[in-house]
Each structure stands twice: as C-alpha cells, then as structure tokens.
Amino acid sequence: MDNTFNFDTLAVRSGTLRSEFGEHSEALFLTSSFVFANAAEAAERFKKSEDYYTYSRFTNPTVTMFQDRLAALEGGEACMATASGMSAILSVVMSAMQSGDHLVSSQSLFGSTLGMFSQIFSKFGITTTFVDPTDLDAWNNAVRPETKMFFLETPSNPLTEIADIEAIGKIAKAANALFVVDNCFCSPALQQPLKLGADVVMHSATKFLDGQGRVLGGALVGSKQFIMEKVFPFVRTAGPTLSAFNAWVLLKGMETLSLRVDRQSAHALEIARWLETHPAVKRVFYPGLESHPQYAIAKRQQKSGGAILSFELNGDTPEAQRENAWRVIDSTKICSITGNLGDTRTTITHPATTTHGRITPEARAAAGITEGLIRLAVGLEDASDIRADLERGLNGG
Ligand SMILES: *Cc1c(COP(=O)(O)O)cnc(C)c1O
C-alpha cells in the first residue's frame, strides 16, 4: 500500500495481505510451516527465506502484516517483530554489537532494560555508560572510540522526563553510533523518532499497540538494510519470534491506536491539571503541563502529553509519604493496581515498592522515585470517575 497516506488511514489499511479467499479482515495464519509443490521450489524458498514463507520462526503472513503496518506508522522502511519488548532490545543489541563494544544509555529506563544492560550484556563484554537523558553534554562526554549504540526512552518511566531526540540524534551521528529509541510511552500516534533522527525505533507492543492488555509483543523499525541484513538473520536463527496469534491481536489493536491514545491523553491532561491544584499533592509530573521542566521539548516532538503521569504526595517523612501513597492506591475502586500500562483500563502503581523496588534506595533517590510517588496510566473510563476514584484517598480515605 502507498505509505504516503495519513496516519489514521495507514493504521487501518496498511500492511494488509489478502489471500485467495478475499477475506476482508486480516487472516490469522496459525501454521508453523508451509508446504511446497516440489523439492526444487522448497530449495528455492529456503534459499531466500526472507522473501517467502517456509517456517514461522522466519516469516509468517500475519506477522508480516503487523510488521508492515507498524513500519508505515513509524515512517520506517522495515520492521522486525519480536515476542516481547525485551526480546526486541535483546535482538537489536545482538544484531548491532559485539564483545568489546560500548553503549551509551539514558539512566531513566524501564527496570528490565536497566537489568539487561547492567547485568546481562555486561557478561558478554558489552559495557554501558548511563547518562542523564536531559543532559546533552553527558551524552557527548560518554562517547568512546568503541561506542556503537545510543539508547533512549522518552518520556521516561515513571517521571516522564523528556529528552531531545533531535539533539541526541546529532551526537549519535557524530559518534557513528546507532541511535535506538524506545517509543513505547508515546507510540507512533504521538511521536515518530525516525523523523527526528533516530536510526531504530524499539517497541513493547504489549502496551499501546495492543492497547487492551491482552498479549505480549515487540518490534524494531528502521532502515531496510539494518532490519533485513542485521536483525532478521538474528531473529530467524535465535527465535525470539512474534507468534501469529499475537500479531493478529496487535493488528486489530493498531487500528484504534490514535483514537485511544488521543482520548487517553486528553483524560491524562485533565487529571494532571486537577491534581496540580489538590492540597495533598506535592508535585505532578506530566509533559503536557506548562510546569513540566521539558514542556517546550515535549510540545515540539510529541503531539500531546501522552497517557501516563506521575504525582508525588506530601508527607513529612518517607514513611508518611508511603502511607499516603498506599492509602490513595488502596482507596481506588476503579483503577487497577497493576504494573502494566497502555491499557483501556486505568492502572495505578507505587513505583518505589513495585516496578523500581529492586534497585537500591540510593539509586531510587537519585532517580527521584520517592515513597510518595504514584504512577497513573490513564485509560478510557470517564475522566471524572477516575478523579473521584483518586480523590477519596487524597482526602484521607
Ligand atoms: C514494558 C516495557 C518494555 C518491555 O516490554 P515487554 O513487552 O514487557 O517485554 C520496554 N520498555 C518500556 C518503556 C516498557 O514500558
């Protein structure tokens, strides 16, 4: 399909492969292998496994449709799907780096990504320097001759720090490093990092692309050369492949992506503005608020503030802050107490004791994740119902 169509058209129409039966909705190809007319055809197709369907660890038509649609939405040439967001990170590092190479990464990362860089890749001689994502000099100063990759997540989790993709992209280019951006929090509906200078966009499709909390999935989007010559051989051989069933669920999720994300962002802004005025709240972290330290960058590189916000409660001591945060969480009747995000259902988390509970108290403090902090991933429920749900605990339970 012609990828010059606008985003909402691409979300619904791009990447459709129709079989001989003329099905209207995308078909779900639940098959592990594909058959051939004769031995010569089998030989030919195995030789060019990227162009044909032979075995679903390599390629599958439903997965191809997911890849083509996501590539269209991100404005990239090619996409490789993976079983989860984490296996997308595994795949990009295994495809682009080798022992002795060095990575520069934002220090404000999803917990498992931090663990991957600091504990797993380090075992294989790939070292990482972590930097403050908003400090351009820090990115510059971290570069070494052996630096091969820059890795960034923006907005960050849970404090929604915004890093300047375009500016960091220039530093990466000068360093000859592959610039990878985790676009999970915004999704392509709000931010398209490839257009701002990223080389590769990484996704946890588990979040907004599915959008309804059903399946795990991941993806890498980039140039045809990088995806097909570097990533495809790794995924094909190592097997962190996306299942056809999950690809099919994700395809249907992507059709409503911008509708959901636009509405969820509007709700998040309304809730963030209200929280800012509440006496029990010390501070609100949301890129759509003028009070956000990187509001200007967010306005430039994102369509809106997104669906995720955090807020810190008052309290004289860390213990009092935790008590207040837990009371707000425990007083909710609608919000789901769960670590997932990007769902139609609003989710609420206490990062200090859940998603960021395993890092040391010192590292937590350095990252600004206090005992009074609550993360809210706003869903599609009526925003005034969510406000009332939070207000109960904020007013003393
Ligand atoms: C969830 C998440 C991941 C990991 O994705 P999985 O699909 O859970 O493997 C990576 N980055 C961010 C920002 C995430 O929120």
Side-chain angles (χ1 to χ4, degrees):
M1 163 154 183
D2 178 356
N3 280 359
T4 62
F5 285 113
N6 290 309
F7 189 91
D8 288 354
T9 307
L10 294 173
V12 176
R13 295 270 174 185
S14 65
T16 304
L17 292 173
R18 210 158 263 163
S19 81
E20 64 193 283
F21 299 116
E23 69 282 356
H24 189 205
S25 178
E26 296 82 353
L28 171 49
F29 289 93
L30 282 184
T31 179
S32 42
S33 73
F34 298 81
V35 295
F36 313 103
N38 50 51
E41 187 181 272
E44 171 70 10
R45 293 193 176 182
F46 265 87
K47 211 183 313 164
K48 295 186 192 153
S49 65
E50 68 275 27
D51 295 333
Y52 292 107
Y53 297 106
T54 52
Y55 187 56
S56 285
R57 171 152 43 79
F58 312 164
T59 48
N60 173 285
T62 313
V63 175
T64 302
M65 288 191 263
F66 164 77
Q67 292 173 160
D68 289 352
R69 187 167 297 171
L70 185 58
L73 295 186
E74 287 288 0
E77 289 173 3
C79 169
M80 180 59 53
T82 57
S84 64
M86 292 320 299
S87 58
I89 295 175
L90 173 70
S91 301
V92 75
V93 171
M94 296 298 268
S95 303
M97 299 181 86
Q98 60 185 41
S99 176
D101 287 348
H102 173 249
L103 201 158
V104 182
S105 172
S106 162
Q107 67 194 10
S108 307
L109 287 179
F110 182 69
S112 298
T113 310
L114 202 59
M116 194 85 147
F117 291 166
S118 56
Q119 281 147 38
I120 297 181
F121 294 136
S122 60
K123 287 201 297 188
F124 301 96
I126 295 170
T127 51
T128 305
T129 302
F130 294 103
V131 298
D132 174 345
T134 64
D135 181 350
L136 296 177
D137 289 338
W139 287 93
N140 228 334
N141 294 337
V143 173
R144 300 185 199 160
E146 63 274 23
T147 301
K148 290 285 159 54
M149 187 182 287
F150 272 31
F151 191 94
L152 172 69
E153 211 178 294
T154 180
S156 73
N157 179 20
L159 292 175
T160 73
E161 289 166 287
I162 305 289
D164 188 333
I165 297 174
E166 203 166 0
I168 296 168
K170 285 184 184 143
I171 301 169
K173 202 173 179 80
N176 229 344
L178 189 80
F179 183 25
V180 182
V181 177
D182 180 336
N183 201 25
C184 175
F185 264 41
C186 271
S187 91
L190 301 185
Q191 171 174 282
Q192 292 162 315
L194 296 176
K195 294 184 180 157
L196 298 168
D199 297 306
V200 177
V201 163
M202 172 253 140
H203 269 288
S204 167
T206 316
K207 312 294 167 51
F208 290 98
L209 299 184
D210 174 357
Q212 288 145 89
R214 300 165 295 191
V215 299
L216 276 96
L220 296 165
V221 184
S223 71
K224 192 163 181 206
Q225 189 193 9
F226 179 70
I227 297 294
M228 294 317 297
E229 289 174 20
K230 302 278 190 193
V231 183
F232 176 69
F234 172 76
V235 174
R236 174 192 192 281
T237 307
T241 314
L242 182 66
S243 81
F245 180 81
N246 288 6
W248 181 80
V249 172
L250 294 168
L251 272 165
K252 303 319 280 181
M254 280 149 78
E255 292 182 6
T256 56
L257 177 67
S258 71
L259 264 183
R260 285 185 280 106
V261 173
D262 285 349
R263 179 68 78 93
Q264 286 167 267
S265 294
H267 289 185
L269 179 62
E270 179 186 329
I271 293 166
R273 283 203 200 290
W274 165 73
L275 284 169
E276 263 197 324
T277 66
H278 200 287
V281 176
K282 189 168 168 189
R283 201 171 153 195
V284 181
F285 302 86
Y286 182 65
L289 291 176
E290 292 79 357
S291 60
H292 190 285
Q294 295 95 34
Y295 175 71
I297 303 172
K299 218 170 151 66
R300 200 165 66 228
Q301 75 187 15
Q302 300 180 198
K303 187 177 161 207
S304 68
I308 297 150
L309 62 94
S310 290
F311 56 103
E312 190 181 353
L313 300 179
N314 290 321
D316 295 334
T317 61
E319 292 73 26
Q321 273 201 310
R322 179 190 290 198
E323 197 178 311
N324 289 338
W326 280 22
R327 188 184 58 247
V328 169
I329 292 169
D330 291 344
S331 301
T332 60
K333 293 178 180 161
I334 301 172
C335 298
S336 308
I337 306 172
T338 174
N340 198 28
L341 59 91
D343 200 304
T344 54
R345 295 169 183 170
T346 299
T347 63
I348 192 164
T349 339
H350 185 242
T353 51
T354 60
T355 53
H356 294 71
R358 282 197 217 156
I359 58 177
T360 61
E362 295 75 34
R364 227 173 9 248
I369 298 163
T370 64
E371 291 288 342
L373 192 75
I374 292 176
R375 187 192 74 193
L376 196 71
V378 180
L380 287 177
E381 305 95 337
D382 188 287
S384 59
D385 285 338
I386 298 299
R387 272 167 53 169
D389 208 35
L390 297 171
E391 184 147 44
R392 211 174 297 117
L394 289 173
N395 290 347

